[in-house]
Amino acid sequence: MLMRTDPFREFDRLAQQVFGTGPGTDNRPAAMPMDAYRSGDDFLVHFDLPGIDPETIELDVERNVLNIRAERRTPAPEGAELIVAERPTGTFTRQLFLGDTLDTERIDASYEAGVLTLRIPVAEQAKPRRIQISGGDGGRKQISG
């Protein structure tokens, strides 16, 4: 039998119940940690989803809101006696509010090594561009905008 010595076990159990993670909370959403950054003309977002079957990941965009939903099922077969169950199971959800400057029609998603990666391109109208202006002396000047 597996045993662990942890003076904070009851505190952890209470925190899991309050925040909706851990065993016995299958119907509550759990946290989905992420990193997001801009690289060139793309925004990249990485979500930690270890142990998730890619078939359970759902992505949809509605009015510039990206909804991410994934499910982790318990690996123990039905009827098995659980000795220790510390890994969170159930549904994980997250919403991202995307600005008008992003091209939501061309989002690319991949899942590798427990990480869901979204590549969201910057919309063409939001990219910097040069504007030609003419001066009073007939010459032309370029201004970055």
Side-chain angles (χ1 to χ4, degrees):
M1 180 175 201
L2 295 174
M3 298 291 287
R4 75 176 193 173
T5 303
D6 185 356
F8 299 105
R9 183 166 72 188
E10 288 304 307
F11 179 75
D12 288 342
R13 184 187 59 76
L14 179 62
Q16 288 172 348
Q17 288 176 347
V18 170
F19 296 115
T21 62
T25 58
D26 289 346
N27 56 358
R28 286 193 204 166
M32 187 185 300
M34 75 172 196
D35 290 334
Y37 56 91
R38 182 172 177 167
S39 178
D41 289 337
D42 293 321
F43 276 92
L44 285 101
V45 186
H46 302 283
F47 296 95
D48 281 349
L49 293 171
I52 298 288
D53 178 359
E55 297 293 319
T56 70
I57 300 173
E58 297 176 11
L59 300 170
D60 65 73
V61 177
E62 185 177 342
R63 295 185 183 169
N64 287 359
V65 177
L66 175 66
N67 295 294
I68 303 104
R69 183 183 181 283
E71 184 178 348
R72 181 185 300 124
R73 299 178 185 110
T74 181
E78 191 171 323
E81 180 185 355
L82 285 175
I83 306 302
V84 177
E86 295 180 341
R87 297 174 46 207
T89 59
T91 302
F92 299 79
T93 60
R94 188 86 189 238
Q95 283 189 328
L96 291 180
F97 295 94
L98 306 177
D100 292 332
T101 60
L102 299 178
D103 187 350
T104 59
E105 297 294 321
R106 295 184 16 224
I107 296 174
D108 179 57
S110 62
Y111 181 77
E112 185 177 336
V115 178
L116 173 65
T117 300
L118 304 180
R119 182 176 298 274
I120 309 168
V122 174
E124 287 298 320
Q125 68 267 20
K127 291 180 182 175
R129 62 189 186 283
R130 291 207 174 276
I131 300 171
Q132 295 282 337
I133 61 170
S134 59
D137 62 358
R140 295 198 175 257
K141 296 181 181 183
Q142 264 190 352
I143 296 178
S144 296

